[in-house]
Amino acid sequence: MSTRPADSLDHGATPWLLAAALATTAPHVAHQPLWLSALAAALFAWASWLWWRNERLPGRWPLVLLVAVAAGGVLFEFRTLFGRDAGVAMLVVFMALKLLELRSRRDATVVVTLGYFLLLTHYFFSQSIATGLWLLTTIMLLTATLIRLHGGPSNSPAATLRYAGLLTLQAVPFMLVLYLLFPRVTGPLWGLPQDAHSGRSGLSDQMTPGTIANLALSSEIAFRARFADRVPARGSLYWRGPVLENYDGLTWKPAGGRGRAPNIEALTPPITYETTLEAHQQRWLLALDAPTALAPEIGLSGTLTATSREPVNHRQRFTLAATLDYRFNVDEDPPVLRRNLALPPDTSPRARMLAESWKTADPDPAHLMQKALAFFSEENFFYTLQPPLLGKQPVDDFLFLTRSGFCEHYASAFVFLMRAAGVPARVVTGYQGGEVNPVDGFVVVRQSDAHAWAEVWLAGLGWTRVDPTAAVSPSRVEGGIVAAMPAGEPLPALIRLRSDWMRTLLFRWEAVNNVWNQYVLGYNLQRQRELLARLGMPDGDWRNLAATLAIICAGLLLAITAWSLYQRPRLDPAARLWKKALRRLAGSKVNCALWETPLALLERVEKDHPSLAPALRDVVGAYLQARYSGVPDNLTTLRSAIARLP
């Protein structure tokens, strides 16, 4: 008769492996090519069908062929087999293929180990709360699968999951200690390509008609800000980004170079705030206009744009100060003024003629500025996210034909008119406004708040902000894009919410996410050093951290070991009552051994202590009934019998 090898995999363990493999790979469907997800799903289905039918697994050569085909597909798709995306794709395929050679517990252990490794790759794409909860649940499932493979305390799925949950809970203190004390890394994990830190891009450093309107269709958060005192009025919240001075007839671009240091004259006391900026892969920041105090790692260009030393490729937090009323570069360099008067030749002749007619009637720059704003407000202009397409002369087409546009159309046309009239002007891009979350007090600025406005240089006043969009749609500045847009505009549903309970739910969820971002994902090297300083380790180098980690982890391990060793098994009620009966007998000078069975004890008492035998006979009978019948009433009988013992 044949016997099953000791390392063979029992049939009932395969569903655990299939579930664990599916849980570790399924979220990658959102990041992988469709053909690869379809291939992995087909391999999962094939492995499940073979298990269900108890069919023979495929041989080596079909699997080798599948590996070659999958590797070739990944190479064709990503042009490499290395890096984040290609590497994760290969791991997903290998996991699906490994399910087709589950012949031994060794193969099954490889699947579980690969599952643990795959869990880490999910953080390359998302570090949200939902991802963390999913991974924690999947860790428990993988641990339960490992317990099932190697003979856990019970074959019951519920008992196996409970045991895995207990082990996961025991690991939580180690997770917290490693999170707090393990040295922080600022670069991509394991030296992977830069895409390991990639984030959503937002505002661009160039502007053409439609670029900012496209951002208005996104409800993604661009950054959050928390003010030390009260939040300023929404109409004064202009978050300055790239300043665009060069114009080629269609696209506005930065001039390049930092220029001389800006000269800012604050007319109101500065306000302090902290901003948490999402990754946008650019060096410029979003600072409240006008910045007056910056962190050491932040620079300020000649156009008043705050910049960081490195591109913002991960979420960062900055503490800044700003004054809302100011004068900026009252004495400007002549080359800068000439640059902000330049216009490409042979562009938009009708707009040029209009500006020149204004200048002929009244050359005062302030009056020319008001003339242009009155033109926008008094003529039949419309503020819309769906403007008609413009031709080869975009400013002329906008001013005299379509008269429908978004903020970039109005800012571009206004600056063109000012330059044509001899007034230095430029385009400023950034964000305007923001919504206060009443749950945590943060101002939330979304991509839909992206905005473009203008700056003109006036003698004695310097660069002065002018928002031509406010001349057409004042509600855009005071109430945000939702208040400015008619009902038919294609705004995201998230920012159109009107229901009070849904908005409250959104605010609470975003506040929870903000806490996660600030205190979990935002736990960087600086915060770790601050924590170590509070713990009495101001010089927290890697040696001190390693020693501290070793001591704390050893202490935790000893505590868990002691807890496990000194746990007493919980007795059922009948066994507890039987121990009580033994104590009563010991009081009557009967030597009771714990290893002695009740019937053997009764036989010995009948010989050595005949007077105790009748009462003990009732106790033994009631105990056997209560212990093995499972009838609750038998416990009452046992208690009565024990009470009759002398």
Side-chain angles (χ1 to χ4, degrees):
M1 185 176 69
S2 63
T3 59
R4 198 175 79 175
D7 192 47
S8 63
L9 184 67
D10 68 278
H11 191 69
T14 303
W16 288 87
L17 293 164
L18 292 170
L22 185 62
T24 55
T25 57
H28 280 309
V29 172
H31 316 293
Q32 298 297 329
L34 182 60
W35 69 267
L36 191 140
S37 298
L39 174 62
L43 294 175
F44 271 93
W46 187 11
S48 302
W49 183 81
L50 292 176
W51 171 81
W52 180 261
R53 298 292 300 273
N54 204 15
E55 297 283 345
R56 184 178 180 181
L57 294 173
R60 175 176 298 179
W61 291 111
L63 293 179
V64 171
L65 179 61
L66 285 171
V67 169
V69 170
V74 171
L75 182 61
F76 178 80
E77 178 75 30
F78 299 103
R79 300 296 187 268
T80 181
L81 293 178
F82 304 99
R84 183 193 71 175
D85 294 335
V88 172
M90 292 296 293
L91 289 176
V92 170
V93 171
F94 288 161
M95 174 64 89
L97 287 170
K98 191 62 183 176
L99 297 175
L100 293 172
E101 56 174 9
L102 290 176
R103 294 181 173 86
S104 65
R105 283 195 293 180
R106 178 182 176 277
D107 296 323
T109 303
V110 170
V111 169
V112 175
T113 305
L114 183 57
Y116 281 122
F117 190 80
L118 262 169
L119 288 184
L120 180 63
T121 64
H122 293 286
Y123 278 123
F124 292 154
F125 302 95
S126 172
Q127 297 181 8
S128 65
I129 296 176
T131 300
L133 293 176
W134 176 267
L135 298 192
L136 194 62
T137 304
T138 308
I139 284 176
M140 192 176 73
L141 177 59
L142 284 167
T143 306
T145 304
L146 202 59
I147 294 170
R148 176 63 179 80
L149 288 175
H150 297 279
S154 171
N155 286 330
S156 165
T160 303
L161 288 172
R162 282 197 301 270
Y163 190 31
L166 178 62
L167 293 178
T168 304
L169 286 176
Q170 290 177 357
V172 168
F174 294 93
M175 294 164 55
L176 293 175
V177 170
L178 289 171
Y179 169 77
L180 292 173
L181 298 181
F182 195 83
R184 301 285 99 182
V185 292
T186 56
L189 202 59
W190 300 330
L192 285 177
Q194 191 66 26
D195 60 0
H197 266 323
S198 63
R200 294 183 177 87
S201 295
L203 197 67
S204 173
D205 60 354
Q206 300 182 12
M207 188 187 79
T208 56
T211 53
I212 297 181
N214 291 334
L215 276 183
L217 301 177
S218 172
S219 60
E220 294 290 337
I221 294 176
F223 61 94
R224 292 179 172 92
R226 178 172 58 183
F227 288 87
D229 298 316
R230 64 178 182 84
V231 178
R234 181 173 189 144
S236 61
L237 295 178
Y238 281 83
W239 309 93
R240 193 183 189 93
V243 177
L244 314 178
E245 297 180 302
N246 291 342
Y247 182 57
D248 61 7
L250 179 65
T251 302
W252 290 89
K253 299 178 182 179
R258 295 184 61 87
R260 68 170 179 134
N263 183 12
I264 305 172
E265 179 186 354
L267 302 179
T268 56
I271 56 176
T272 304
Y273 65 99
E274 184 182 77
T275 178
T276 304
L277 181 63
E278 300 293 325
H280 61 275
Q281 315 307 318
Q282 305 288 342
R283 292 182 60 246
W284 45 261
L285 310 178
L286 282 311
L288 190 61
D289 211 2
T292 58
L294 304 171
E297 67 273 15
I298 300 176
L300 196 62
S301 71
T303 58
L304 216 57
T305 299
T307 58
S308 66
R309 295 172 183 171
E310 301 294 335
V312 182
N313 53 25
H314 59 280
R315 186 181 295 107
Q316 295 189 43
R317 183 170 52 246
F318 306 97
T319 300
L320 306 169
T323 177
L324 300 181
D325 192 7
Y326 60 94
R327 291 194 182 99
F328 162 41
N329 279 10
V330 176
D331 296 320
E332 186 60 277
D333 293 338
V336 175
L337 297 178
R338 288 195 297 269
R339 182 170 64 236
N340 287 280
L341 285 171
L343 289 173
D346 303 324
T347 55
S348 302
R350 294 183 65 185
R352 290 175 186 266
M353 291 176 59
L354 177 63
E356 290 171 358
S357 68
W358 292 343
K359 183 178 180 180
T360 301
D362 187 351
D364 181 80
H367 294 168
L368 290 171
M369 181 180 69
Q370 295 301 325
K371 197 79 173 177
L373 294 176
F375 178 74
F376 285 130
S377 62
E378 294 171 2
E379 299 294 332
N380 197 23
F381 282 90
F382 295 97
Y383 187 62
T384 177
L385 283 170
Q386 297 176 303
L389 295 177
L390 302 177
K392 294 182 179 180
Q393 303 292 348
V395 175
D396 275 357
D397 291 346
F398 170 67
L399 290 177
F400 304 106
L401 296 178
T402 65
R403 293 193 170 182
S404 297
F406 200 55
C407 59
E408 66 262 40
H409 297 82
Y410 292 98
S412 177
F414 178 84
V415 172
F416 187 98
L417 290 170
M418 290 296 97
R419 290 189 177 188
V423 180
R426 59 195 182 189
V427 175
V428 183
T429 60
Y431 295 81
Q432 196 281 318
E435 185 175 28
V436 179
N437 187 328
V439 177
D440 57 11
F442 277 77
V443 176
V444 179
V445 182
R446 305 181 187 275
Q447 298 294 355
S448 56
D449 294 313
H451 194 53
W453 58 95
E455 273 187 338
V456 298
W457 189 86
L458 302 176
L461 297 177
W463 290 102
T464 304
R465 182 197 307 136
V466 182
D467 192 346
T469 301
V472 181
S473 178
S475 57
R476 166 62 184 90
V477 176
E478 299 298 332
I481 190 171
V482 176
M485 290 295 171
E489 294 288 337
L491 288 174
L494 187 62
I495 65 174
R496 279 197 178 276
L497 288 177
R498 287 291 182 266
S499 172
D500 290 340
W501 72 269
M502 291 186 67
R503 290 187 64 79
T504 301
L505 188 64
L506 173 64
F507 286 140
R508 292 187 182 279
W509 172 245
E510 289 188 342
V512 170
N513 271 284
N514 189 34
V515 171
W516 173 265
N517 294 337
Q518 296 283 343
Y519 298 104
V520 180
L521 301 183
Y523 184 70
N524 53 21
L525 180 60
Q526 179 182 355
R527 287 202 163 190
Q528 186 183 58
R529 287 174 176 171
E530 293 173 355
L531 174 65
L532 294 176
R534 288 196 294 269
L535 295 177
M537 291 187 294
D539 299 325
D541 58 9
W542 67 269
R543 295 180 182 85
N544 293 334
L545 286 177
T548 305
L549 276 173
I551 293 172
I552 295 178
C553 289
L556 288 172
L557 188 60
L558 287 175
I560 292 176
T561 303
W563 175 77
S564 301
L565 290 176
Y566 287 96
Q567 276 193 111
R568 295 184 177 182
R570 299 177 65 181
L571 299 176
D572 60 62
R576 288 199 298 271
L577 289 173
W578 174 250
K579 283 197 169 187
K580 180 179 179 181
L582 294 181
R583 290 194 296 271
R584 296 284 292 269
L585 289 174
S588 299
K589 309 301 182 181
V590 177
N591 185 19
C592 301
L594 292 176
W595 50 264
E596 195 172 17
T597 66
L599 291 177
L601 176 63
L602 175 61
E603 183 178 354
R604 186 164 58 83
V605 168
E606 287 176 340
K607 292 179 181 179
D608 299 339
H609 304 277
S611 61
L612 298 175
L616 181 59
R617 190 177 297 110
D618 294 339
V619 171
V620 169
Y623 169 68
L624 294 177
Q625 286 290 327
R627 182 70 185 273
Y628 301 108
S629 69
V631 180
D633 291 344
N634 290 332
L635 289 174
T636 304
T637 304
L638 177 58
R639 290 190 186 94
S640 301
I642 292 173
R644 292 194 294 272
L645 283 173

